[in-house]
Amino acid sequence: MNPPNQTPRPQTLRRAVASTAVLLTAVASLGLANATGAAAATPLAGPPSGTCNPAVDTVWHDVLTTQVNPVVTDFSAINVTDGTTGQRTQVLTRVDTVTTTVNQNTQISASAGFLFFKVSATVGFSVQTTTSSTTTTTASTTWNLNKPGYYGLYRGTRKVSGEWVEYSCARAGGIGFWVNTTPNGKGTYTTFEYPEEGTVSCATPEPAGTLRHAARQRLGC
């Protein structure tokens, strides 16, 4: 042991430098180095602690951004006149599509499914967590229109998109630590709420930013 206030022995310094070099080499060999230069000045959100247990921990996801937009996927405008009210079955025309994607890939893995559970918790409503699209079924519903008027029949959803990040638990010697394993440092995702359907009319205003408002706009009101 070095006496107090004395410079550490050369061999002690060599061992410390060598240990640091081994850890850095392990990170570089995995190809998991984070962004360098200016990007390193604004680190992404990460796990609550820098260390992990490789025997227990696998991956950790975090949602960086979310954007919610109403999307009308199927629509039909009908004019109900006196004598034509009542129950009818109407097949809607497909006007848009929303598909779940992770990094623009439509095949959703089980690991990515956990990301969508976090998205649900972030936005406050349930979203699709597996490979899914709004084109999987034809929108054909029976409607009961009792008053004359110009109606929009719609089906749609709330599309949720944004950016995310994934960390994996890596081991270097006896140390487990989280490293960013997201391609390009962060990824993108798209999912959507379970679809809803209904009717709108020019006679009734709808709150801006809602799916019903988006459907009403298609009537040209």
Side-chain angles (χ1 to χ4, degrees), residues 135-159:
T135 65
T136 54
T137 58
T138 300
S140 177
T141 308
T142 300
W143 311 86
N144 193 22
L145 304 172
N146 296 319
K147 294 182 179 180
Y150 188 49
Y151 292 92
L153 314 179
Y154 74 90
R155 185 172 72 166
T157 186
R158 284 187 286 182
K159 174 183 176 181

Side-chain angles (χ1 to χ4, degrees), residues 72-142:
V72 177
T73 59
D74 304 88
F75 186 82
S76 182
I78 60 172
N79 190 24
V80 179
T81 60
D82 289 328
T84 64
T85 58
Q87 193 175 83
R88 68 173 68 189
T89 299
Q90 184 80 25
V91 176
L92 307 187
T93 300
R94 182 163 296 141
V95 295
D96 207 343
T97 300
V98 184
T99 302
T100 54
T101 65
V102 174
N103 298 338
Q104 301 182 345
N105 188 343
T106 59
Q107 297 304 310
I108 307 304
S109 66
S111 175
F114 288 110
L115 163 67
F116 287 146
F117 282 115
K118 275 206 167 184
V119 172
S120 292
T122 301
V123 297
F125 54 84
S126 296
V127 300
Q128 304 289 331
T129 60
T130 59
T131 299
S132 186
S133 172
T134 57
T135 65
T136 54
T137 58
T138 300
S140 177
T141 308
T142 300

Side-chain angles (χ1 to χ4, degrees), residues 123-202:
V123 297
F125 54 84
S126 296
V127 300
Q128 304 289 331
T129 60
T130 59
T131 299
S132 186
S133 172
T134 57
T135 65
T136 54
T137 58
T138 300
S140 177
T141 308
T142 300
W143 311 86
N144 193 22
L145 304 172
N146 296 319
K147 294 182 179 180
Y150 188 49
Y151 292 92
L153 314 179
Y154 74 90
R155 185 172 72 166
T157 186
R158 284 187 286 182
K159 174 183 176 181
V160 185
S161 56
E163 295 179 330
W164 67 287
V165 66
E166 177 186 87
Y167 284 78
S168 296
C169 186
R171 183 193 298 273
I175 303 174
F177 57 96
W178 292 109
V179 290
N180 185 341
T181 54
T182 320
N184 301 317
K186 60 182 178 181
T188 61
Y189 68 86
T190 301
T191 183
F192 58 95
E193 186 182 22
Y194 294 93
E196 72 168 69
E197 57 188 28
T199 63
V200 291
S201 71
C202 288

Side-chain angles (χ1 to χ4, degrees), residues 33-81:
N34 288 325
T36 59
T42 55
L44 299 174
S49 64
T51 59
C52 55
N53 182 353
V56 177
D57 301 314
T58 54
V59 295
W60 185 92
H61 297 103
D62 197 20
V63 178
L64 301 178
T65 62
T66 57
Q67 184 174 359
V68 180
N69 292 302
V71 177
V72 177
T73 59
D74 304 88
F75 186 82
S76 182
I78 60 172
N79 190 24
V80 179
T81 60

